Amino acid sequence: MQPDCEKMMSAMAKAQEQLFKVQNELATLNVEGQAGGGAVKVVCNGEFQFKSIKIQPDAVDMSDLTMLEDLVLTAINDASSKAKDIGQQKMTSSMKGIPLPPGLGL
């Protein structure tokens, strides 16, 4: 049985439209990551562009700069992970119900 090419093209156009919509949403999404019980907070968007870093004054101890560096790195990784998870969820839900040809599943 031959697939209906017109239906398939329509589905692909809809999928492309949904992907552009999700990409735009991710660009404006802000995700916060934190470490040290909120001593260090970072914000990035869904495209992993970091917007801000906030460090509580009591987290700054010049005698233990390595710990502060670790907290900043942990907060960045936390925000990145959250942004990635949200992006995957949005992509999956935006493609739900769009029939794709065999082998093209996302």
Side-chain angles (χ1 to χ4, degrees):
M1 178 176 202
Q2 288 285 358
D4 184 346
C5 287
E6 189 173 314
K7 231 180 187 178
M8 196 171 4
M9 293 301 287
S10 176
M12 294 304 288
K14 184 176 180 182
Q16 185 176 23
E17 183 180 311
Q18 289 286 6
L19 287 175
F20 285 134
K21 181 180 175 187
V22 169
Q23 286 173 334
N24 289 332
E25 287 177 15
L26 291 175
T28 60
L29 174 74
N30 284 322
V31 179
E32 180 181 271
Q34 56 179 307
V40 176
K41 296 179 181 179
V42 297
V43 175
C44 75
N45 67 14
E47 294 178 329
F48 306 103
Q49 295 172 327
F50 288 85
K51 303 297 184 180
S52 69
I53 297 176
K54 301 288 183 200
I55 301 173
Q56 296 296 318
D58 59 341
V60 181
D61 180 358
M62 296 310 281
S63 66
D64 196 1
L65 199 54
T66 303
M67 186 178 90
L68 178 59
E69 292 169 342
D70 288 343
L71 289 174
V72 171
L73 186 59
T74 299
I76 287 172
N77 288 332
D78 184 42
S80 294
S81 177
K82 289 175 181 176
K84 180 182 175 186
D85 290 345
I86 291 170
Q88 287 176 339
Q89 290 171 3
K90 286 185 175 286
M91 287 293 188
T92 300
S93 68
S94 73
M95 298 301 290
K96 199 175 228 177
I98 296 176
L100 295 175
L104 282 182
L106 299 175

